[in-house]
Amino acid sequence: MTDLQHVADARETSGDATPPPDERRRRAARRDESPAGRYGPGFLVKLALMAVIDAFGVYVVWSAWVAESWVILGAMVAMLAVANWVYFSRRTVPMKYVLPGLVFLFTFQIFTIAYTGWVAFTNYGDGHNSTKDDAITALLAQNERRVEGSPSLPLTVVTDGDDLGFAVVRPDGTTAVGDADDALAPVEATVTDGQVTAVDGWEVLGRQEILERQGEVTDLRVPVSDDPNDGSVRTQDARTGYTFKPTLVYDEAADTMTDTVTGTVYAPNDDGQFEAADGTTLQVGWRVFVGFDNFTTAFSDSRYAGPFFQVVVWTFVFAFASVATTFLLGMFLATVFNAPIRGRKLYRTLLILPYAIPGFVAPLLWSGLLNRSFGFVNQVLLGGAAIPWLTDPWLAKFSIIAVNLWLGFPYMFLICTGALQSLPTDVMEAAKIDGAGRLRTWRSVTMPLLLVSTTPLLISSFAFNFNNFALIYMLTGGGPRFDDASVPLGHTDILITMVYSVAGLDGSAPKNFGLASALSIVIFVIIATISAIAFKRTRSLEEIN
C-alpha cells in the first residue's frame, strides 16, 4: 500500500475525506430543506422584495381593470405569476437571473414594437382616438343647443379632489350634484338664499378659485341623466345653469345619427365616421382597422409621397456622411496621437471635450453661432457677412453634417484609439518581417483589423444618426420648408423628424398616429436590413490580405 493510500485511509477514518460531488449536492439539498436553510435571511429579503413587486403589480392590474386595458391586465397577471413561480421554486435557478432582463425586454421592446405595428394598421389620430361608443358620446355632447323655455337652475361649482362638478337646485326645490362622468343625482345639501352652500362629500369652490379655473367651469357639461339624449347642464357665470340638448340624436337600433335641425341622417362608414348620403361626415370618429392604407398614403398620396422620397434620400445621405466623416477624422486623429509625441494626453483630453457637451445643448449653441443676422460665425469670423447657413437648403444640409462632425468625431477618436492600442503586435511584426512598408501594412493589416473591431460600432452609429432627432430638431427644426409641400416638412427633415411632424406632436398639423407608426415601421425595416447586411459583410474583413 502506498503512502497516498495510507493518507486517504487516514482521512476517511478521521472524517476529513472530501466527499464526491454527488454527496456534496445531497448534503446541500438537505441543508436547504431544513427550516434554517429554507427561512433564513436570504429568504426573508426575497420575500420582502417580491411583496413590493406584487403590490406594484396589483396596482397596475387594478388600474388596467378600471381603464379596461385588457391586454395590459393580462400581460401583468402573466408576468406576476411567472415571477412568483420562478423566485419561489427550487427548479428555476437559472431563470432567477434571466427573468428581469426578459421582463424589461418584453415591456420596453417587444410590447412597444407590437403596439406600434398595431397602430400602423389603424386610423388612430385626431378625430379617431377612441372607441365608437366614446365617439357617439362626444358627438352628442359637442353638438348641443339650449332647450327653449327650460328653467334656469341656481348652480354652485363644487369639487371632489381635482374633479369639478355642479350642485343645482331643481324647480321642485330638491338638490342634485354631478360631474362630467356622473349624471346629476339627488344629494343632501344646505341651501341658503336659493343657492347651495354645502354638499355632503363635495367642497364648494370660492369665487377666486372659480376665476382661476374659469375655462374648466365654462367647458364643463354635467349630464342630466344617464341618457345622453336628455342633455346636460352648462353655465357661463358659475351661478346659473341651463339645460342643453344635443342637436344630434343617435338611434341605437338603426345605428344612425340624425341631425334634428336639418333632418340629415348619418350612417357609419368603413373609415370610422358617421357619413351622410352626400358624403359629408361628422367631425368625431373612432379607431378602425384600415389595413395598409397608411403605407399606401406614405408612398402614393401626393401630400406625402414627394416629400417622403426626398426625406428618405436625405436621411441616407446624412447618416452615411455622418458616419464616414466622423470615422475618418476620428481614425486620423487616433493614428496621429497614437504615436509617442509630447503632450499627447493633453491633446487627447482637448479632443474629447465636444463629446462632453449634452447632445441637445450643442445644436442649440451652433444654431446661435450660425445665425444669419447676429451669429458669431458671420459677424466675427466672416466680418459681418450674411450667409444663410440654416435657411438655404444646401447650406443647411452642409451645416448639419459639419456640426455633427464636430459632435461625433470624439466618439470615433476614442474607439479608434482603443482599437489601435489593442492590435496584436505579433501580426504587425510579421508584416515588417515580410517586408511590408507602412502603407502596405496599414492597408492590409491595420485597417482590416481596425474595421473588424469597429464595424459593430459603425453600424450602431449609423442607426443613431439615422434617427438623430435632437440634432435636426434643435439646429434647423427640419427647415427650410418645402415650397410645394402641403405638410409641415422641410429640406433637412429626416425620417424620424418627419414622423414627429406627421404625428402632430409639434402642433403644426393634425395628429395622425397611424401614419406616423407606419413610417416608424419603415424606419425599423430599413435599419434592420442595413444592419444585417453590414454584420454579414463584416466577416469578410477578418481575413487579412
Side-chain angles (χ1 to χ4, degrees), residues 253-442:
D255 194 18
T256 58
M257 194 77 72
T258 304
D259 191 326
T260 58
V261 177
T262 63
T264 305
V265 178
Y266 298 85
N269 59 18
D270 295 335
D271 296 327
Q273 288 179 301
F274 282 102
E275 183 178 1
D278 61 357
T280 58
T281 58
L282 296 179
Q283 199 171 25
V284 181
W286 57 93
R287 291 194 303 263
V288 294
F289 183 79
V290 296
F292 289 92
D293 287 355
N294 290 317
F295 296 91
T296 303
T297 299
F299 289 103
S300 62
D301 193 307
S302 58
R303 296 173 300 166
Y304 297 99
F308 174 75
F309 286 109
Q310 294 184 63
V311 169
V312 169
V313 172
W314 161 239
T315 303
F316 274 100
V317 171
F318 166 69
F320 278 115
S322 296
V323 173
T325 55
T326 55
F327 177 70
L328 291 175
L329 180 58
M331 181 179 61
F332 172 75
L333 294 174
T335 304
V336 171
F337 291 104
N338 195 47
I341 60 177
R342 181 178 298 178
R344 180 172 57 177
K345 293 183 179 180
L346 176 61
Y347 295 142
R348 285 176 175 175
T349 302
L350 294 175
L351 286 174
I352 64 174
L353 283 180
Y355 197 53
I357 301 176
F360 67 92
V361 174
L364 286 176
L365 296 175
W366 276 103
S367 67
L369 294 173
L370 296 173
N371 186 274
R372 178 174 184 172
S373 301
F374 52 83
F376 180 84
V377 174
N378 280 342
Q379 293 299 314
V380 178
L381 298 183
L382 300 179
I387 300 175
W389 296 107
L390 303 179
T391 55
D392 178 80
W394 291 104
L395 285 177
K397 293 178 179 179
F398 170 78
S399 299
I400 286 176
I401 295 176
V403 171
N404 204 34
L405 173 62
W406 183 82
L407 290 171
F409 85 86
Y411 172 72
M412 294 299 180
F413 169 72
L414 289 174
I415 64 173
C416 288
T417 298
L420 288 173
Q421 292 178 351
S422 63
L423 293 180
T425 56
D426 55 343
V427 176
M428 308 298 292
E429 292 175 356
K432 291 181 180 180
I433 293 174
D434 290 340
R438 290 186 177 182
L439 182 60
R440 176 65 177 176
T441 302
W442 172 260

Side-chain angles (χ1 to χ4, degrees), residues 136-279:
I136 293 172
T137 302
L139 285 169
L140 296 177
Q142 294 176 12
N143 294 272
E144 296 178 331
R145 64 177 178 175
R146 182 183 171 186
V147 178
E148 296 182 4
S150 61
S152 60
L153 302 173
L155 179 144
T156 302
V157 182
V158 295
T159 180
D160 180 12
D162 293 331
D163 298 328
L164 289 179
F166 292 154
V168 300
V169 180
R170 288 171 169 165
D172 58 4
T174 60
T175 56
V177 68
D179 57 19
D181 298 322
D182 299 316
L184 290 174
V187 68
E188 293 293 332
T190 301
V191 179
T192 305
D193 296 331
Q195 203 85 17
V196 173
T197 56
V199 188
D200 291 341
W202 296 79
E203 179 185 352
V204 176
L205 285 187
R207 198 65 186 169
Q208 184 61 36
E209 294 172 306
I210 292 175
L211 290 175
E212 293 174 355
R213 305 179 67 174
Q214 184 177 2
E216 297 178 63
V217 173
T218 55
D219 290 340
L220 179 61
R221 298 174 175 86
V222 176
V224 173
S225 69
D226 293 332
D227 185 358
N229 291 315
D230 290 339
S232 58
V233 175
R234 299 176 61 184
T235 185
Q236 292 297 320
D237 59 4
R239 293 187 61 84
T240 305
Y242 298 94
T243 302
F244 287 74
K245 281 192 176 182
T247 57
L248 295 173
V249 176
Y250 177 66
D251 186 343
E252 186 174 358
D255 194 18
T256 58
M257 194 77 72
T258 304
D259 191 326
T260 58
V261 177
T262 63
T264 305
V265 178
Y266 298 85
N269 59 18
D270 295 335
D271 296 327
Q273 288 179 301
F274 282 102
E275 183 178 1
D278 61 357

